[in-house]
Amino acid sequence: MDVTFSVNGERVHLDVEPRHTLADALREECGLTGTHLGCEHGVCGACTVLVDGQPARACLMFAVQADGATVTTVEGLAGEDGELHPLQEAFVAHHGLQCGFCTPGMLISALHLLDTDPEPGRDKIREEMSGNICRCTGYSGIVDAIEAAAGVLREPGPACGRC
């Protein structure tokens, strides 16, 4: 089936099997391997992407369901010049990652959180990130990173160069 959608600002046209998931299409057809497949049941959050600005589990969504949509993956966070997004910088600075497997889903979920609530408290951050499983960090560094990024993104002016 023919499907056309925008991924990280670029329009893509694919011919996919109806049973092909969005995660598989992103990874195999678009070469965007940052969308990780963990549980493939929508539980771990590693495959989280934004579809029309809302978090979606790419392992549970068929590629044909994204027809006409705007999809944002972790590869869409960095600037065109490769400059890291403040969330990415904060994850590095605050040790919000270890093995990195959950990190793409964490970053996308955190991006949505900060887009909808620019000043979340630590309890809100923990609640919102509870749908993403991390087996390495203990979450403290992740919460610290999101809290720090929220502060940077709230600063007046172009804090991330794209705001």
Side-chain angles (χ1 to χ4, degrees):
M1 294 186 71
D2 288 335
V3 61
T4 302
F5 51 89
S6 172
V7 181
N8 303 327
E10 300 213 10
R11 198 122 180 99
V12 296
H13 179 79
L14 305 174
D15 182 20
V16 297
E17 294 291 324
R19 61 183 167 76
H20 209 65
T21 66
L22 179 58
D24 288 336
L26 291 169
R27 293 179 59 78
E28 296 168 13
E29 306 297 327
C30 300
L32 299 172
T33 57
T35 300
H36 292 166
L37 289 168
C39 68
E40 296 191 59
H41 294 282
V43 176
C44 72
C47 68
T48 304
V49 297
L50 296 179
V51 177
D52 292 334
Q54 296 299 310
R57 301 295 204 234
C59 74
L60 296 180
M61 184 174 178
F62 293 116
V64 294
Q65 291 175 287
D67 191 36
T70 299
V71 178
T72 303
T73 70
V74 70
E75 290 91 347
L77 289 181
E80 289 182 20
D81 61 355
E83 182 179 350
L84 295 180
H85 186 279
L87 269 168
Q88 293 169 307
E89 290 177 348
F91 266 65
V92 172
H94 294 274
H95 309 289
L97 58 114
Q98 286 183 25
C99 81
F101 192 82
C102 71
T103 305
M106 289 283 185
L107 287 167
I108 294 296
S109 294
L111 179 67
H112 179 261
L113 168 62
L114 297 180
D115 282 347
T116 57
D117 184 354
E119 297 186 52
R122 293 181 70 81
D123 288 340
K124 173 80 180 254
I125 293 170
R126 286 186 180 282
E127 179 184 332
E128 292 294 318
M129 300 307 293
S130 68
N132 294 71
I133 297 172
C134 175
R135 293 189 170 133
C136 301
T137 67
Y139 295 95
S140 294
I142 293 168
V143 174
D144 292 345
I146 295 169
E147 189 175 48
V152 170
L153 291 169
R154 282 193 312 265
E155 290 176 5
C160 68
R162 292 177 305 284
C163 301

